[in-house]
Amino acid sequence: MTVTSTQARSAETATTVLDAVIIGAGISGMYMLHRLRALGLKARVYEAGTDVGGTWYWNRYPGARVDIESQEYSYSFSEELEREWKWSERYAAQPEILRYLNHVAERFDLRRDMVFNTRIASAHFDEASNTWQVATDTGEQITARFCIAATGCLSVPNEPRFEGQDRFTGPTYHTGRWPHEGVDFTGKRVAVIGTGSSAIQSIPQIAQQASEVYVFQRTPNYSVPAHNGPINPAVTEGWLASREENRQLQKVSRAGFIFSNPGGLLATQTGDNERREVFESRWAQGGFSVQSAFADIGVDPVANAMAAEFAADKIREIVKDPETAEKLVPKGYPFGAKRLCVDTGYYEVFNQDHVHLIDLRETPLTTITETGVETTEAGFEVDAIVFAIGFDAMTGALSKIDITGREGLSLTQAWAEGPKTYLGLMITGFPNFFTITGPGSPSVLSNMIVSIEQHVDWLTDLIGYMTGVGIALIEPTLESQNAWVDHVNEIAGHTLYTQANSWYLGANIPGKPRVFMPYIGGVGAYRELCTAVAANGYMGFKLRRA
Ligand code: N01
């Protein structure tokens, strides 16, 4: 079947015919649509939510905000867009980011090719027609030459699996699926289960309203202060004045934002006083800059222990009650090996009398009852429970769709031992199926928006090339995929990241294979690799003419 660039919806089959189906209307789906339209392709986005925004649509919990500075966490593809949008805070909060994404959707008239309230249920590659046969949960059938998963890395909430949870008679919330109308906790007793980024951002906000807050912590996380505040207009002007240069710096940087490049110093070769000064100045600067204070923090256990000790001292300094402080100090895994959190008043909140920390390592959670949460030691009566227990990261969204490639190979089978991709972009056996910021790419170890733009631009070039020279199909060879998977694992193995039970490794989901999913080689190096692959005739891929 030849797919034309004009939309045809055949009355006989009621099949929607597209060039490309894009799954998800988050930051990646929005930009992908924009680029494919410019190529003259008929593309359409399908989205389960009622509107655009992806992660910023779903994660509306109190305190949700980006932890990369706002200007850096914005699209770069349109200079006009960048100049006309003014961020109000150093780290924008969720409502402002969602307003921005709505603005982008309107400005580029994206919604006219978006279908909301609709999930993609299945996507099967049809070898006879070289097309993807896609079905929605509303019964729509779509045939498309390209299928693009813009499904996000942290979009499927980790399901609560607590004994007795259904008995609880009060309301429960998951930070990743927060009610749109908000929640008023005024005067309520609230349990928060989990102490990852979502909890660390929301607990100080919840504590402003609640009468009692019980924080159930299984593993303490390292958190650094955001030092958030209104953006100084001079900072915005400075950013815009050097816009080209700044955007270029992001592209070649380690993690897609300017401060992510480690300084030249090694912690282990720096004197005690100077090392302390460097850490202090990074702490004062705020955000992720602490993690990149020294080049050896992520790879050398001795250097890492120095960063860990500095962070622990800070916790002991901030939290007045020594026992609580000690419980909050992470132990047993390297600094930064679980994703570093960036907070506003997290440790300070434990100095308030109505905020209580329950250490589940000492007293495990046994059950949820009609009226609260019980541990091996005590019962806590609460009016509401907040599950801040994270996501089925990186593979969760794809595993929820029935995807089959050539010869009926299902993605579940192909990824039974963990995700395998070439460059995080494609999977052997799944021609013309693309994963934006998929496993095996820098994705969650980077400023997502920079990595998204890089993938979308690369894919747009590829699709433009295929269309231009009459290539029907592309997929990676098994050898190139295997080599990439080995490379991803090998360099992760040189770091301390694999030494923590993190969601990077799938450790938070029972039964998930333990594989380090993102590519840790750095945004700049990865971009160079992808560019070289394209420049060398899409090296490592098989391309087939129609
Ligand atoms: O989820 P998490 P998150 N019993 O997986 C605990 C991004 N993000 O939503 O560590 C008790 O980090 C679990 O404990 P443990 C960011 O990339 C960004 O907070 O498994 N506890 C952990 O404490 C982030 O990393 C921002 O022992 C249980 C917590 O729940 C990612 O999203 C803001 C449990 C889950 O922490 C995920 O963050 C928010 C159980 N059965 C999120 N199961 C920004 O700032 C789980 N836990 C941009």
Side-chain angles (χ1 to χ4, degrees):
M1 183 190 296
T2 310
V3 179
T4 65
S5 62
T6 47
Q7 178 199 355
R9 193 178 159 98
S10 147
E12 262 167 57
T13 58
T15 296
T16 304
V17 181
L18 301 170
D19 293 318
V21 59
I22 300 168
I23 313 173
I27 292 174
S28 49
M30 291 169 69
Y31 182 43
M32 191 78 242
L33 174 65
H34 177 65
R35 292 297 318 266
L36 290 184
R37 264 188 193 166
L39 279 186
L41 264 63
K42 178 64 200 170
R44 190 183 282 178
V45 172
Y46 288 82
E47 164 61 50
T50 58
D51 207 343
V52 298
T55 203
W56 301 107
Y57 170 92
W58 297 106
N59 287 268
R60 297 172 190 241
Y61 60 83
R65 67 176 67 250
V66 66
D67 49 16
I68 306 269
E69 296 197 21
S70 306
Q71 296 103 323
E72 296 218 43
Y73 190 82
S74 64
Y75 286 118
S76 72
F77 69 85
S78 161
E79 182 171 351
E80 296 73 32
L81 169 67
E82 194 162 357
R83 289 194 183 278
E84 76 201 9
W85 184 267
K86 296 281 175 280
W87 294 103
S88 70
E89 288 183 282
R90 181 178 179 194
Y91 298 98
Q94 176 273 335
E96 186 172 12
I97 302 172
L98 194 56
R99 277 201 301 281
Y100 168 73
L101 295 174
N102 275 287
H103 169 72
V104 174
E106 273 153 40
R107 196 185 189 290
F108 298 98
D109 191 18
L110 298 178
R111 287 195 183 86
R112 90 181 131 85
D113 287 315
M114 290 183 165
V115 180
F116 296 107
N117 297 307
T118 305
R119 276 184 188 281
I120 297 299
S122 63
H124 302 301
F125 183 67
D126 176 42
E127 292 181 68
S129 61
N130 284 342
T131 57
W132 281 91
Q133 302 297 318
V134 179
T136 69
D137 64 352
T138 56
E140 185 176 349
Q141 301 291 326
I142 306 147
T143 183
R145 193 173 153 203
F146 301 106
C147 185
I148 303 170
T151 38
C153 295
L154 294 157
S155 49
V156 173
N158 180 14
E159 295 295 331
R161 299 173 186 83
F162 296 94
E163 158 92 30
Q165 65 190 35
D166 295 333
R167 284 188 287 169
F168 185 65
T169 52
T172 61
Y173 306 97
H174 193 298
T175 46
R177 287 288 179 274
W178 204 258
H180 286 201
E181 63 281 10
V183 181
D184 183 3
F185 288 117
T186 305
K188 302 267 194 276
R189 299 161 303 170
V190 183
V192 181
I193 302 180
T195 49
S197 295
S198 303
I200 281 177
Q201 288 189 327
S202 59
I203 288 166
Q205 298 288 312
I206 293 172
Q208 285 180 15
Q209 294 184 327
S211 61
E212 302 292 334
V213 183
Y214 299 97
V215 178
F216 292 87
Q217 169 190 276
R218 190 165 64 182
T219 311
N221 260 296
Y222 288 101
S223 187
V224 292
H227 300 311
N228 187 36
I231 282 194
N232 181 340
V235 170
T236 308
E237 278 162 33
W239 170 268
L240 290 174
S242 314
R243 180 184 171 276
E244 287 292 316
E245 191 191 335
N246 288 334
R247 291 301 190 178
Q248 186 52 30
L249 282 171
Q250 286 186 316
K251 287 180 181 173
V252 298
S253 68
R254 166 133 202 97
F257 58 100
I258 292 172
F259 288 119
S260 61
N261 284 346
L265 293 174
L266 297 178
T268 47
Q269 290 180 17
T270 305
D272 289 351
N273 289 343
E274 190 188 346
R275 192 172 56 244
R276 182 95 203 167
E277 271 170 32
V278 172
F279 276 134
E280 286 288 0
S281 77
R282 296 291 182 126
W283 188 271
Q285 189 181 333
F288 288 117
S289 63
V290 177
Q291 197 164 10
S292 50
F294 296 98
D296 47 358
I297 291 177
V299 288
D300 180 340
V302 178
N304 191 280
M306 290 166 169
E309 192 188 325
F310 173 79
D313 285 350
K314 285 289 177 196
I315 298 170
R316 294 181 185 117
E317 223 173 274
I318 299 169
V319 180
K320 304 271 182 292
D321 172 41
E323 232 178 87
T324 306
E326 228 30 62
K327 287 179 183 167
L328 287 164
V329 170
K331 294 170 188 90
Y333 70 90
F335 176 86
K338 279 164 99 75
R339 190 195 187 264
L340 194 62
C341 304
V342 180
D343 70 275
T344 299
Y346 177 63
Y347 294 121
E348 290 82 350
V349 85
F350 292 97
N351 293 331
Q352 298 181 30
D353 290 340
H354 71 300
V355 181
H356 318 276
L357 183 67
I358 296 102
D359 184 342
L360 299 180
R361 301 265 174 197
E362 285 176 6
T363 57
L365 196 162
T366 47
T367 187
I368 291 178
T369 66
E370 286 79 1
T371 54
V373 180
E374 280 183 8
T375 66
T376 48
E377 194 172 76
F380 302 87
E381 300 268 303
V382 293
D383 303 303
I385 300 177
V386 175
F387 295 111
I389 56 172
F391 300 89
D392 184 354
M394 305 206 71
T395 55
L398 290 174
S399 68
K400 286 213 171 308
I401 306 171
D402 168 20
I403 300 171
T404 57
R406 274 189 297 106
E407 296 165 21
L409 174 70
S410 76
L411 190 61
T412 317
Q413 284 169 298
W415 283 5
E417 297 160 350
K420 293 178 180 165
T421 69
Y422 181 40
L423 299 171
L425 280 160
M426 289 202 81
I427 307 147
T428 306
F430 297 79
N432 291 7
F433 181 87
F434 305 108
T435 50
I436 301 178
T437 64
S441 72
S443 58
V444 292
L445 294 177
S446 70
N447 178 353
M448 285 302 296
I449 212 159
V450 169
S451 289
I452 285 168
E453 284 193 328
Q454 186 253 330
H455 266 192
V456 170
D457 291 342
W458 193 91
L459 286 176
T460 307
D461 289 348
L462 167 67
I463 291 172
Y465 168 75
M466 288 173 71
T467 311
V469 301
I471 303 281
L473 292 176
I474 180 164
E475 77 174 277
T477 66
L478 189 57
E479 298 72 47
S480 56
Q481 177 168 285
N482 286 343
W484 184 251
V485 170
D486 289 346
H487 174 59
V488 170
N489 287 328
E490 195 206 328
I491 55 169
H494 294 315
T495 73
L496 302 172
Y497 271 85
T498 51
Q499 294 182 19
N501 288 322
S502 69
W503 58 257
Y504 295 133
L505 283 148
N508 62 332
I509 303 294
K512 196 163 169 172
R514 191 182 171 93
V515 172
F516 193 78
M517 294 182 283
Y519 178 59
I520 207 168
V523 160
Y526 172 80
R527 178 185 296 267
E528 263 182 44
L529 263 163
C530 291
T531 306
V533 163
N536 288 290
Y538 294 97
M539 194 169 54
F541 289 97
K542 276 182 289 194
L543 297 129
R544 274 196 282 143
R545 292 194 174 273

